[in-house]
């Protein structure tokens, strides 16, 4: 049995909390209503100002296009070539002349009519010979003494705008010049910034509009062209419009603000409609943040009041709070793990794509580097062959062409060999004499050596130095070493390169120059390391050469000489069969 004396104090303790909750809700509603009112007015005014600026810009562009085109008929009516064609009835060159004017003038089309209204010349050749005697621009031109503007409705519902002017010779009518103005180009640009824009003439008829079905109607008729909406759609729209001020007009049942301005041209006006959607979005964002804050405060107050209301369940409340915190932490950890997995997946895809791009870039740079020397040699031989042909020495020029043919074959072999840089194997290996490879490389670099007047000191034994290797790749290494030596001596007054070829346990080729030496020996054979200016080298020559020599079972080393300059040594295994035969 409940005792009223015990329940009354408990009920007495509860009513202040209920009153506080009611007051908090009332304050929250007041703040939300005030915020909605102030922000809606502010954002609406800002949107209206931007719409007015856009409307002024649109009307300025339109009147500018009309003014530019208005002077064209006057200029063309005084063109002696057009007047002569109308007088002599010779229109063979008139159409081409009008076409040449079209790009300079910027008009849509130009047409020349004779006194009977027949098109005798036109930039649109399909209109040649057509009759325009009943067209407004022909009739208005005959009635007026200057340039007249005409508007005509086409079969597709669009309006055509044109300037026309009659051409008289000695007071007699000889023809009419018609210049069509392309104003429909503005409709697409207007549609990108406003919900709807249209231009009306002096009679209120819409002649330009972003909505094609509005053309030919007045404003009231155009705004009534909308599909009927159901009750659910009207209810939803009414809910979304609660933050907007009273609408100026409605488009498709949606509230919009209307802006109108006068165009100083034959009583035209331009009208634009801008949606309140941006205003609603910005206001609703602030209101949502306020509701979230109020909900958070109310939730904290309810938790605090509940914990004070019943002290006997303090232990369970604390345990519940700990469980909630643990749950939040678990959810946070799960979210972090999911985010980390997504980031890892994105990183893996990025690394894979980067690797593909790096491989493509390295291969492209390798091809460019390896083909530079043959291309330079071909350019020199071509210049020499041209000079020999001019001097009537065809036999010597033919020798240059043979060398160019050899270089082209070498370039094809280089592109084939580039595919084998990353694989081991000896499919292209053959017994060869290292002396022959050195001679071939010197022949390839002969134009560069002669151009620089470089002294070559070559020490080669009389007996063959047999090795088993890929001829093209060995010659590529020697060419790269010679090219580096040439570049190293470019600032030396008397450049000199020593080539020493020796055979013992292995075949050794030493390339020594009298340049400035090597500054960083540790990074010398790293890919893309170069001391040359940007555009002069890729930094791949020595890296590729080192890889080729390693594939051939040898070793490529570099050091600085005692007397200056750089020294490169290429060691390759001697062919075993030849060594045993020699022994």
């Amino acid at each position: 049995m409940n005792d009223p004396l015990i329940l009354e104090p408990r009920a007495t303790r509860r009513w202040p909390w209920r009153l506080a909750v009611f007051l908090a809700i009332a304050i929250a509603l007041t703040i939300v209503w005030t915020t909605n009112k102030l922000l809606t007015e502010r954002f609406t005014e800002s949107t209206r100002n931007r719409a007015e600026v856009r409307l002024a810009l649109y009307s300025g562009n339109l009147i500018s296009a009309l003014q530019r085109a208005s002077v064209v008929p006057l200029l063309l009516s005084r063109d002696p070539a057009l007047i002569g064609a109308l007088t002599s009835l010779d229109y063979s060159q008139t159409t081409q002349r009008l076409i040449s004017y079209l790009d300079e003038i910027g008009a849509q089309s130009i047409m020349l009519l004779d006194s009977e209204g027949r098109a005798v010349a036109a930039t649109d050749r399909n209109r040649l010979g057509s009759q325009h005697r009943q067209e407004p621009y022909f009739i208005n031109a005959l009635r007026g003494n200057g340039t007249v503007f005409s508007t005509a409705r086409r079969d597709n519902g669009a309006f055509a705008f044109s300037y026309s002017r009659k051409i008289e010779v000695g007071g007699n009518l000889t023809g009419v010049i018609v210049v069509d103005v392309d104003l429909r180009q503005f409709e697409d640009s207007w549609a990108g910034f406003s919900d709807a824009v249209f231009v009306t003439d002096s009679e209120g008829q819409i002649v330009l509009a972003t909505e094609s079905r509005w053309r030919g109607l007045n404003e009231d008729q155009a705004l009534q062209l909308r599909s009927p909406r159901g009750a659910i759609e009207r209810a939803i729209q009414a809910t979304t419009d609660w933050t907007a001020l009273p609408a100026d007009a409605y488009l498709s049942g949606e509230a919009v603000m209307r802006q109108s301005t006068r165009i100083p041209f034959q009583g035209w006006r331009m009208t634009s409609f801008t949606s309140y959607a941006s205003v609603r979005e910005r206001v609703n964002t602030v209101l949502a943040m306020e509701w979230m804050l109020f909900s958070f405060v109310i939730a904290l107050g309810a938790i605090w009041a509940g914990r004070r209301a019943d002290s006997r369940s303090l232990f369970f409340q604390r345990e519940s709070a700990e469980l909630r915190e643990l749950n939040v932490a678990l959810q946070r950890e799960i979210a972090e793990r999911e985010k980390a997995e997504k980031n890892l997946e994105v990183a893996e895809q990025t690394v894979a794509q980067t690797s593909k791009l790096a491989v493509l870039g390295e291969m492209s740079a390798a091809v460019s580097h390896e083909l530079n020397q043959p291309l330079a040699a071909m350019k020199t031989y071509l210049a020499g062959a041209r000079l020999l042909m001019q001097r009537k020495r065809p036999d010597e020029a033919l020798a240059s062409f043979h060398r160019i043919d050899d270089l082209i074959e070498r370039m094809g072999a280089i592109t084939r060999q580039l595919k084998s840089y990353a694989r081991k194997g000896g499919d292209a290996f053959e017994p060869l004499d290292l002396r022959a490879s050195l001679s071939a490389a010197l022949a390839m670099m002969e134009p560069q050596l002669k151009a620089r007047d470089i002294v070559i000191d070559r020490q080669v034994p009389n007996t063959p130095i047999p090795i088993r290797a890929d001829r093209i790749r060995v010659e590529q290494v020697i060419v790269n070493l010679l090219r580096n030596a040439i570049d190293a001596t470019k600032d030396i007054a008397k450049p000199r390169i020593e080539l020493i070829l020796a055979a013992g346990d292995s075949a050794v080729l030493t390339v020594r120059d009298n340049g400035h030496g090597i500054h960083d020996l540790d990074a010398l054979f790293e890919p893309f390391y170069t001391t040359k200016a940007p555009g002069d080298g890729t930094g791949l020559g020595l890296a590729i050469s080192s890889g080729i020599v390693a594939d051939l079972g040898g070793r490529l080393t570099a050091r600085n000489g005692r007397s200056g300059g750089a020294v490169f040594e290429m060691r390759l295994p001697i062919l075993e069969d030849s060594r045993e035969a020699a022994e």
Side-chain angles (χ1 to χ4, degrees):
M1 182 176 181
N2 296 331
D3 190 348
L5 297 177
I6 298 177
L7 295 176
E8 183 178 357
R10 184 176 299 176
T12 304
R13 290 194 300 268
R14 288 179 179 176
W15 75 264
W17 298 107
R18 295 177 179 175
L19 180 61
V21 172
F22 292 146
L23 289 176
I25 295 175
I27 293 173
L29 292 175
T30 302
I31 293 176
V32 170
W33 182 84
T34 304
T35 302
N36 170 56
K37 180 177 177 59
L38 295 178
L39 292 182
T40 300
E41 293 176 354
R42 177 180 176 183
F43 292 154
T44 301
E45 186 64 24
S46 175
T47 303
R48 190 181 299 276
N49 292 337
R50 289 196 298 270
E52 291 176 355
V53 171
R54 286 198 300 268
L55 195 62
L57 180 62
Y58 295 162
S59 61
N61 293 337
L62 184 61
I63 193 65
S64 176
L66 290 170
Q67 290 175 351
R68 284 198 308 269
S70 63
V71 300
V72 176
L74 175 61
L75 299 176
L76 295 181
S77 66
R78 298 177 180 178
D79 190 343
L82 299 182
I83 296 175
L86 290 171
T87 304
S88 63
L89 303 180
D90 181 10
Y91 308 108
S92 59
Q93 302 296 326
T94 309
T95 294
Q96 187 60 37
R97 187 174 184 85
L98 293 181
I99 293 175
S100 65
Y101 290 156
L102 192 61
D103 294 335
E104 298 177 359
I105 295 174
Q108 184 179 10
S109 64
I110 306 174
M111 185 167 52
L112 180 64
L113 308 179
D114 60 12
S115 59
E116 299 299 327
R118 185 175 63 89
V120 295
T123 56
D124 184 2
R125 297 181 185 274
N126 295 327
R127 303 174 71 177
L128 291 174
S130 57
Q131 184 59 242
H132 301 269
R133 187 177 185 84
Q134 303 300 325
E135 295 295 337
Y137 44 77
F138 182 81
I139 298 174
N140 294 336
L142 297 182
R143 293 176 179 176
N145 294 324
T147 302
V148 295
F149 180 81
S150 303
T151 303
R153 187 79 179 273
R154 298 304 183 195
D155 295 336
N156 58 1
F159 283 85
F161 310 94
S162 59
Y163 283 101
S164 59
R165 186 183 182 94
K166 62 183 177 182
I167 301 176
E168 295 179 335
V169 177
N172 296 322
L173 175 67
T174 58
V176 174
I177 187 72
V178 181
V179 178
D180 292 335
V181 186
D182 183 15
L183 299 182
R184 294 189 59 185
Q185 59 178 327
F186 297 104
E187 295 178 339
D188 296 335
S189 61
W190 297 342
F193 296 94
S194 300
D195 291 338
V197 179
F198 63 77
V199 177
T200 57
D201 57 14
S202 58
E203 298 178 356
Q205 184 183 31
I206 297 176
V207 294
L208 290 174
T210 54
E211 295 286 340
S212 59
R213 56 181 180 171
W214 287 0
R215 299 189 189 102
L217 305 177
N218 57 37
E219 181 176 352
D220 294 336
Q221 294 172 341
L223 295 181
Q224 291 176 1
L225 289 178
R226 60 175 183 266
S227 302
R229 297 182 303 144
I232 297 178
E233 292 179 341
R234 290 195 298 271
I236 295 175
Q237 190 63 55
T239 303
T240 57
D241 283 347
W242 74 282
T243 59
L245 292 176
D248 297 329
Y250 284 87
L251 287 179
S252 299
E254 183 178 358
V256 293
M257 60 179 66
R258 180 184 182 276
Q259 299 288 334
S260 181
T261 184
R262 186 181 66 87
I263 300 176
F265 180 79
Q266 296 190 358
W268 284 18
R269 295 192 66 85
M270 177 178 288
T271 305
S272 70
F273 299 95
T274 305
S275 173
Y276 284 97
S278 60
V279 176
R280 287 196 296 269
E281 291 174 358
R282 297 166 68 182
V283 174
N284 290 343
T285 300
V286 177
L287 297 181
M289 295 177 63
E290 288 184 351
W291 278 118
M292 290 177 61
L293 179 62
F294 292 144
S295 300
F296 183 73
V297 172
I298 292 174
L300 290 180
I303 293 174
W304 181 74
R307 295 182 63 182
R308 288 179 57 89
D310 195 355
S311 59
R312 291 178 302 176
S313 60
L314 182 59
F315 173 79
F316 300 102
Q317 291 177 3
R318 289 178 179 177
E319 188 179 57
S320 177
E322 292 176 357
L323 290 175
R324 285 196 299 271
E325 292 178 359
L326 180 59
N327 186 28
V328 172
L330 290 175
Q331 292 179 355
R332 187 183 300 112
E333 183 177 356
I334 292 173
E336 291 176 355
R337 287 181 179 273
E338 292 177 352
K339 183 178 180 181
E341 291 176 357
K342 293 180 180 179
N343 292 338
L344 179 60
E345 182 179 355
V346 173
E348 290 175 352
Q349 295 176 355
T350 304
V351 169
Q353 184 66 18
T354 304
S355 299
K356 295 178 182 178
L357 294 177
V359 170
L360 291 176
E362 186 173 353
M363 179 59 68
S364 176
V367 170
S368 174
H369 181 275
E370 292 301 328
L371 295 182
N372 276 339
Q373 289 87 352
L375 287 174
M378 290 171 61
K379 183 177 180 181
T380 303
Y381 284 136
L382 282 174
R386 184 184 299 110
L387 183 60
L388 291 172
M389 293 296 292
Q390 292 174 354
R391 295 180 179 180
K392 307 301 182 179
R393 296 160 62 183
D395 294 336
E396 298 180 21
L398 185 59
S400 298
F401 289 134
H402 284 309
R403 291 190 176 185
I404 293 174
D405 185 62
D406 294 338
L407 288 174
I408 293 175
E409 181 180 359
R410 181 177 298 276
M411 291 171 64
I414 287 174
T415 56
R416 291 192 298 269
Q417 289 301 325
L418 285 175
K419 299 178 181 179
S420 63
Y421 280 164
R423 73 170 187 264
K424 306 292 183 179
D427 295 340
F429 284 16
E430 59 181 345
L432 55 91
D433 187 357
L434 188 56
R435 299 181 306 168
S437 298
L438 178 59
S439 299
L442 285 173
M444 180 181 296
M445 298 301 295
E446 181 181 356
Q448 289 89 334
L449 295 172
K450 288 183 177 180
R452 290 282 312 284
D453 195 17
I454 298 176
V455 177
I456 301 296
D457 185 2
R458 180 166 52 174
Q459 300 178 22
V460 180
N462 295 327
T463 59
I465 302 179
I467 61 173
R468 183 176 180 82
D470 186 339
R471 179 178 60 85
I472 296 298
R473 300 176 75 181
V474 171
E475 293 176 7
Q476 287 175 0
V477 174
I478 299 176
V479 167
N480 285 337
L481 296 180
L482 289 174
R483 180 63 181 271
N484 285 338
I486 293 173
D487 294 337
T489 58
K490 65 180 180 180
D491 298 329
I492 305 301
K494 295 182 179 180
R496 183 184 184 88
I497 299 176
E498 297 182 23
L499 301 174
I500 303 174
L501 194 57
D505 294 337
S506 59
V508 181
L509 172 63
T510 303
V511 181
R512 186 194 308 269
D513 62 68
N514 61 342
H516 299 291
I518 304 171
H519 299 291
D520 191 354
L521 287 171
D522 295 333
L524 185 62
F525 295 104
E526 293 293 331
F528 301 104
Y529 171 78
T530 180
T531 59
K532 301 175 185 177
D536 293 341
T538 61
L540 287 171
L542 291 177
I544 294 174
S545 299
S546 179
I548 292 175
V549 175
D551 288 345
L552 299 177
R555 185 162 59 96
L556 180 63
T557 59
R559 69 178 188 277
N560 287 318
R562 295 181 180 179
S563 58
V567 180
F568 287 88
E569 287 186 356
M570 179 180 68
R571 293 180 177 270
L572 294 174
I574 290 288
L575 187 60
E576 296 296 336
D577 296 341
S578 298
R579 179 188 298 178
E580 292 176 358
E583 291 176 354

